[in-house]
Amino acid sequence: AGRLRSGGGKWPLPLPLPVASPEPILAVGPHLKNTFTLARGDSAYLSQHIGDLESLDTLGHFQASLEVFRTLFGVEPSVVVRDLHPGYLSTRVAGEMADTLGAVEIMAVQHHHAHVAAVLADHGTTGPAVGLAFDGTGYGEDGRIWGGEVLVADLEAYRRMGRMRYIPLPGGEIAVRNPWRTVLGCLSLAPHLEQDFRLALSGVSPDETGVVVRQAEKGVNAPLASSTGRLFDAAAAVLGLRTRCSYEGQAAMELEAAAWEGTVSAETVLEDPPPGCPGLPFPVARDRSGVQVMDPLPLLSALGRARQAGVSLESLAVAFHTTLARTAAGVARSACREAGLSRVVLCGGVFQNVLLLEVMARLLEDAGLEVLIPRTLGPNDG
């Protein structure tokens, strides 16, 4: 799936663009796993891995690296591009850089559109394609947290065709390190599922549970999210695998590892599922605007019930991956039919998960669709 981040002495190297930039551009990059890019003509110059823009040291590294790149490649930007999120440090950096450089324009780009466009450009095409952008966090045009998106996109624009159901995240970013909070966000929408989620909440005090549920119900610092990354966290929690994380992505990585323990390969799991691997519900319905919405609550409920009934963790981890892959592939196929397209892009940090990537690619290719995955660049935010 390409590199997971830029580094290893490979960068900087010019990357060919499928369309020449009419003006010199600085793209300041994302908030997490930051890289920046300078573009001029038909070449883009991607920086090395900078890191998360959460400290003065990292910001200083960003500014020093940018100065080296401007000098090395002789690019004086007249346009600065930033993420759509108004609160990111990279957004503030974009404004400061525009003032410093005398740039005449700042452009904001939606996070998941950028993911899809990056893969299209990586393959030397302008699109359009159906893009599945699955990650943890990206600011949506409706002000909510996106992360389970099915888009029809080219290099200029996109249209949302599918998404995960919105779930409250009590505590916002705190929920990233505490998957049990995401489960309580689900519980605030469906209180009758409390018993199914028992394993996720076994180490949480009733007082803490009550406070967080009320937080989710009242929408107090509980942003709504359609995040596939948080779905992985919640699945790991209801299976009793991981309810608190000490580093980013821990729950998702342990869930993938458990799935590999339960299967031989991504190919054989579709043809010969392991014993005890149950079918799981993951319903899809259209909202009032016609967007396909994948509802993870029945899936999480069934996972919790099956684990408490004694089904092995490994079998359920396999079932989770294959169910997610089949459902998302079905939404992608439907979007392709509606848009008259036959090309699908898989992108975003969730596709660092090799099992999910390979199963989904197999399902889509078996349906006669062309699948593009990150090649020169990684699938993550960098």
Side-chain angles (χ1 to χ4, degrees):
R3 303 174 65 88
L4 296 186
R5 79 178 197 187
S6 54
K10 183 174 181 179
W11 309 99
L13 280 178
L15 301 175
L17 297 174
V19 177
S21 173
E23 297 182 71
I25 290 174
L26 163 65
V28 296
H31 180 66
L32 300 177
K33 307 166 192 70
N34 180 272
T35 59
F36 63 81
T37 297
L38 290 170
R40 182 185 59 203
D42 59 1
S43 294
Y45 303 95
L46 179 72
S47 78
Q48 77 282 8
H49 174 74
I50 301 294
D52 298 348
L53 293 181
E54 295 183 319
S55 71
L56 288 176
D57 287 344
T58 309
L59 179 58
H61 181 42
F62 176 101
Q63 293 167 332
S65 298
L66 176 58
E67 187 61 31
V68 170
F69 268 60
R70 286 173 58 202
T71 302
L72 181 63
F73 297 111
V75 178
E76 290 299 321
S78 58
V79 178
V80 178
V81 182
R82 66 168 178 85
D83 191 277
L84 193 62
H85 197 300
Y88 280 174
L89 181 58
S90 56
T91 296
R92 194 187 81 188
V93 167
E96 293 173 352
M97 289 294 174
D99 292 339
T100 300
L101 300 170
V104 296
E105 184 178 4
I106 298 177
M107 295 178 60
V109 176
Q110 201 281 323
H111 187 94
H112 301 96
H113 180 206
H115 269 305
V116 178
V119 177
L120 290 173
D122 189 11
H123 285 264
T125 183
T126 61
V130 170
L132 278 71
F134 286 1
D135 62 8
T137 300
Y139 191 80
E141 287 192 347
D142 57 3
R144 294 170 175 171
I145 296 173
W146 291 10
E149 310 310 311
V150 181
L151 311 176
V152 169
D154 56 21
L155 298 187
E156 292 187 77
Y158 74 92
R159 178 162 51 101
R160 202 181 195 191
M161 301 289 284
R163 62 172 174 86
M164 296 291 174
R165 179 182 177 180
Y166 285 123
I167 302 295
L169 295 183
E173 286 297 309
I174 297 175
V176 176
R177 295 292 181 94
N178 294 276
W180 63 267
R181 282 180 169 264
T182 302
V183 173
L184 282 181
C186 296
L187 194 60
S188 72
L189 302 177
H192 63 284
L193 300 180
E194 182 175 3
Q195 183 59 32
D196 298 343
F197 295 161
R198 183 174 59 82
L199 294 179
L201 307 174
S202 59
V204 185
S205 71
D207 289 344
E208 196 171 15
T209 300
V211 169
V212 173
V213 168
R214 286 193 296 274
Q215 186 180 25
E217 290 173 343
K218 295 180 179 180
V220 178
N221 190 24
L224 295 174
S226 60
S227 169
T228 309
R230 302 292 77 77
L231 172 57
F232 269 82
D233 292 347
V238 300
L239 290 172
L241 174 62
R242 172 64 57 183
T243 59
R244 301 177 193 268
C245 299
S246 57
Y247 56 86
E248 182 191 2
Q250 183 177 9
M253 286 188 279
E254 291 178 350
L255 187 59
E256 182 189 4
W260 281 116
E261 289 291 324
T263 187
V264 176
S265 73
E267 288 190 1
T268 57
V269 73
L270 288 170
E271 300 164 357
D272 186 21
C277 186
L280 297 171
F282 198 172
V284 180
R286 293 187 184 268
D287 65 13
R288 284 177 289 185
S289 64
V291 172
Q292 299 180 81
V293 180
M294 296 169 275
D295 185 357
L297 264 63
L299 169 60
L300 294 170
S301 172
L303 283 173
R305 284 199 310 273
R307 183 70 185 113
Q308 292 177 54
V311 180
S312 76
L313 171 64
E314 293 77 15
S315 291
L316 289 170
V318 171
F320 170 79
H321 281 77
T322 55
T323 300
L324 173 57
R326 290 183 188 279
T327 301
V331 172
R333 290 194 301 269
S334 177
C336 283
R337 287 194 298 270
E338 292 175 25
L341 300 172
S342 60
R343 176 182 290 157
V344 178
V345 168
L346 303 180
C347 55
V350 166
F351 284 111
Q352 293 173 114
N353 183 315
V354 175
L355 180 59
L356 181 68
L357 177 69
E358 292 185 356
V359 171
M360 282 202 63
R362 167 79 179 275
L363 290 168
L364 293 166
E365 289 169 349
D366 285 352
L369 300 172
E370 179 188 8
V371 178
L372 303 184
I373 62 176
R375 185 175 56 180
T376 308
L377 308 175
N380 216 331
D381 284 4

